[in-house]
Amino acid sequence: MFEFEQRKLPNATPVLVLGILSILTCCCYGVLGIIIGVIALVLFKQDKQLYDKNPSVYENYNNLNTGRILAIIGIVLSVLFLVYVLWIISLFGLDALQDPELMQERINELQ
């Protein structure tokens, strides 16, 4: 019988690492997590096309899929945090976020 040597998908580990980083960086105003998550999804798409052509050749598809899921979670968390930051800025104003006394005045006005 003819046996194939199974190879690893070239971007499976980077997609997994970027997926984890997208979750960890979602609190960086949301922007960094979105960028990293999108990069992970682009790399996932490239490896998914390789895997779909010949699935029996590749062995680490689970890592690739896990990285995709983590990237999606990271993007969602980043978008939610970005919306939250924009809501806080619209509520208090950018100048109040830089001046603690003005922030206290705006909080007192809201009460």
Side-chain angles (χ1 to χ4, degrees):
M1 272 222 140
F2 201 45
E3 291 186 32
F4 291 104
E5 180 181 330
Q6 287 200 322
R7 297 181 294 184
K8 294 185 181 229
L9 290 163
N11 293 323
T13 302
V15 169
L16 185 61
V17 170
L18 289 172
I20 293 168
L21 286 175
S22 71
I23 292 174
L24 294 176
T25 58
C26 71
C27 294
C28 297
Y29 298 104
V31 177
L32 190 57
I34 293 171
I35 293 169
I36 292 173
V38 168
I39 292 170
L41 291 179
V42 168
L43 292 176
F44 167 82
K45 184 179 177 187
Q46 292 173 357
D47 272 11
K48 177 77 167 125
Q49 290 172 348
L50 281 175
Y51 180 80
D52 287 342
K53 287 180 185 175
N54 198 353
S56 63
V57 174
Y58 300 104
E59 65 180 354
N60 60 344
Y61 180 74
N62 288 337
N63 287 350
L64 184 69
N65 199 39
T66 302
R68 177 183 68 98
I69 292 168
L70 292 174
I72 292 170
I73 291 170
I75 289 171
V76 168
L77 290 175
S78 296
V79 167
L80 290 174
F81 193 76
L82 181 62
V83 168
Y84 173 73
V85 167
L86 293 175
W87 176 71
I88 292 294
I89 289 173
S90 70
L91 187 63
F92 294 112
L94 193 56
D95 55 339
L97 294 176
Q98 298 171 353
D99 184 7
E101 292 175 10
L102 184 57
M103 176 63 95
Q104 190 62 42
E105 289 176 24
R106 300 254 171 99
I107 291 172
N108 290 337
E109 290 172 6
L110 289 174
Q111 293 178 348

